[in-house]
Amino acid sequence: MENSSQESRLRSENSVTYDSSYPIYAMAFSSFTSPLHNRRRRIAVGSFIEEFNNRVDILSFDEETLTLNPIPNLSFDHPYPPTKLMFHPNPSASLKSNDILASSGDYLRLWEVRESSVEPLFTLNNSKTSEYCAPLTSFDWNEVEPKRIGTSSIDTTCTIWDVEKGVVETQLIAHDKEVYDIAWGEAGVFASVSADGSVRIFDLRDKEHSTIIYESPQPDTPLLRLAWNKQDLRYMATILMDSNKIVILDIRSPAMPVAELERHQASVNAIAWAPQSCRHICSAGDDGQALIWELPTVAGPNGIDPMSMYSAGAEINQIQWSAAQRDWIAIAFSNKLQLLKV
C-alpha cells in the first residue's frame, strides 16, 4: 500500500463504493448479527443537507461478494443532519432483540432497527428548562456500561444519559466554550475537547473536578475531535481546527504530546484507532488522503511516516474503523461511502 501500484490495487480490488443521492457525513458500523443474514453487516449513513429534512440509510455489506446496498424499508427521515451515528456497542447486552442505533443532532435519538422497519425509541432533550435545546456536536456510547451515552453540546455541557430508562444521569459544564467531542475511557470516566482548546478528563465519582491533559499550543485554537484508544487507555488522539496534525497524548504525562503526526497536506477531519491494535490509528482530511499510522515505541527525530495511504480524490469528511469486521475502514467524501480493506 505504500507505492502507487499498491495504492491502485487497493483501490480496485479491496474497496467497495456506495453512491448516495446526497452528501454523506455520519457513518456507523453495526456489530449486530442477524440470524437471517449472518454473513451481512449493517452500516448506517447520514445525509448532510443544510436544512431540516435529512435521511439515514441502512446499508447491507456482504464481505464475500463485496456488495454494499441500501436495505429497503430501513431508510428513515432525520431532523437536521446527524452529527454522529452509532450502533449499540454490545448487542448481546442489549435489552432489545433488535439492533439499536443512536443519532445526535438537535436531540439524542435512539432507534430500533428491525428486519423491515426502523422505529423511534427515545428522543432525549438535554435542556432542563425548555423544549428548545442547544445542538449536540457528538456523543459516545459506553462499551463497558452500555446503558450510558455521553453527549457533547455547543452550550459547554456534557450530558450523561441512562438510555435504558431515558433519563439524565448527570450534566456537567465541561468547558468554557463549545464542546465538540466526547469519548469514554473506563466505565465512569470520559474525556472531551472544546473550542477552548483543551482536552479534559472527567470521573463521574468526582463530578466537581476535571483534569486538563492538553491545551492547544496557540491559545483558543479549537480541538475538534477526540479518540480514546480502547486497546490501551493510556493513549488518546485529538485534532486541531485547520491543522494537518494528529496529536497523540499519553494521559500519564499531560501537556506534552508523545507524538505529532504531520504528513497530511491539508486539514485533518477525522481520526479512528484500530479496534484490534493499540498502536495503529487512521486519519483522513481535506487532502483526500486516508493514512494509517503505526506508532513506534520511540519516535525518531524526523517524525513518523504513515505505513499506508489511500487517496480518495476528494476531501474526506469522516472515517470509521469497523469493530466487527476489523479489516475494513469506511471513509465518507462528497456523496460517497467507500469501504477500504486494510
Side-chain angles (χ1 to χ4, degrees):
M1 286 193 334
E2 286 171 10
N3 59 37
S4 57
S5 62
Q6 288 176 305
E7 201 175 309
S8 61
R9 187 168 74 243
L10 174 72
R11 180 187 295 276
S12 57
E13 296 174 12
N14 291 339
S15 69
V16 190
T17 304
Y18 167 71
D19 283 286
S20 174
S21 53
Y22 34 70
I24 291 172
Y25 178 69
M27 303 182 296
F29 284 98
S30 173
S31 298
F32 185 81
T33 305
S34 162
L36 297 178
H37 309 292
N38 59 355
R39 274 193 319 142
R40 299 178 196 159
R41 293 286 183 177
R42 288 169 172 165
I43 301 171
V45 295
S47 66
F48 190 86
I49 306 165
E50 293 187 36
E51 55 187 56
F52 180 79
N53 295 318
N54 276 261
R55 300 284 292 172
V56 173
D57 293 326
I58 309 291
L59 313 179
S60 173
F61 173 51
D62 190 320
E63 194 172 4
E64 288 186 22
T65 59
L66 293 183
T67 51
L68 185 60
N69 297 303
I71 304 173
N73 306 322
L74 296 191
S75 178
F76 59 95
D77 291 325
H78 192 279
Y80 302 105
T83 53
K84 186 168 182 178
L85 295 168
M86 198 171 175
F87 283 98
H88 195 294
N90 187 1
S92 60
S94 171
L95 299 179
K96 298 282 186 181
S97 57
N98 294 308
D99 211 356
I100 307 298
L101 177 69
S103 66
S104 55
D106 51 351
Y107 303 112
L108 176 66
R109 289 179 164 83
L110 270 75
W111 314 81
E112 183 174 359
V113 183
R114 301 177 180 173
E115 286 298 331
S116 57
S117 67
V118 177
E119 305 297 333
L121 290 175
F122 285 122
T123 299
L124 305 174
N125 180 359
N126 65 319
S127 170
K128 298 173 181 174
T129 54
S130 76
E131 64 199 81
Y132 302 104
C133 70
L136 301 177
T137 50
S138 187
F139 71 92
D140 196 24
W141 205 324
N142 194 317
E143 290 181 25
V144 184
E145 288 187 314
K147 70 173 187 175
R148 280 179 170 156
I149 287 180
T151 61
S152 57
S153 171
I154 65 168
D155 68 1
T156 77
T157 65
C158 290
T159 305
I160 308 305
W161 289 92
D162 181 329
V163 293
E164 291 177 0
K165 297 177 182 173
V167 298
V168 170
E169 185 178 329
T170 190
Q171 188 172 63
L172 306 168
I173 296 175
H175 289 265
D176 301 326
K177 294 185 178 179
E178 298 95 326
V179 190
Y180 286 139
D181 206 2
I182 182 172
W184 288 102
E186 305 165 50
V189 179
F190 69 90
S192 56
V193 293
S194 162
D196 66 15
S198 67
V199 179
R200 303 188 187 197
I201 296 180
F202 297 84
D203 190 325
L204 294 178
R205 293 165 296 191
D206 181 11
K207 302 185 186 74
E208 300 302 312
H209 300 97
S210 65
T211 304
I212 297 177
I213 64 158
Y214 178 73
E215 291 184 289
S216 302
Q218 288 79 35
D220 287 342
T221 301
L223 301 177
L224 298 183
R225 289 285 165 256
L226 181 69
W228 204 325
N229 188 332
K230 296 294 195 285
Q231 297 299 315
D232 188 339
L233 292 171
R234 295 173 297 179
Y235 297 103
M236 55 176 70
T238 187
I239 55 177
L240 294 81
M241 180 178 278
D242 298 327
S243 168
N244 72 330
K245 283 196 303 194
I246 301 105
V247 179
I248 308 296
L249 305 170
D250 183 336
I251 63 174
R252 298 167 301 175
S253 55
M256 275 301 294
V258 291
E260 293 186 335
L261 312 178
E262 302 184 78
R263 297 297 187 260
H264 277 282
Q265 303 300 309
S267 299
V268 180
N269 295 326
I271 43 177
W273 290 100
Q276 75 281 22
S277 159
C278 64
R279 291 177 58 201
H280 293 87
I281 189 169
C282 184
S283 61
D286 282 350
D287 57 1
Q289 304 276 348
L291 306 180
I292 297 177
W293 312 77
E294 181 174 11
L295 301 179
T297 48
V298 179
N302 299 319
I304 300 167
D305 288 321
M307 60 180 286
S308 59
M309 62 177 59
Y310 176 79
S311 182
E315 296 176 359
I316 303 174
N317 300 313
Q318 183 69 270
I319 50 175
Q320 295 289 329
W321 201 322
S322 174
Q325 295 165 301
R326 296 171 174 181
D327 295 338
W328 293 93
I329 290 174
I331 60 174
F333 55 97
S334 183
N335 66 328
K336 292 177 168 43
L337 177 145
Q338 202 158 56
L339 296 178
L340 310 174
K341 191 164 189 179
V342 296

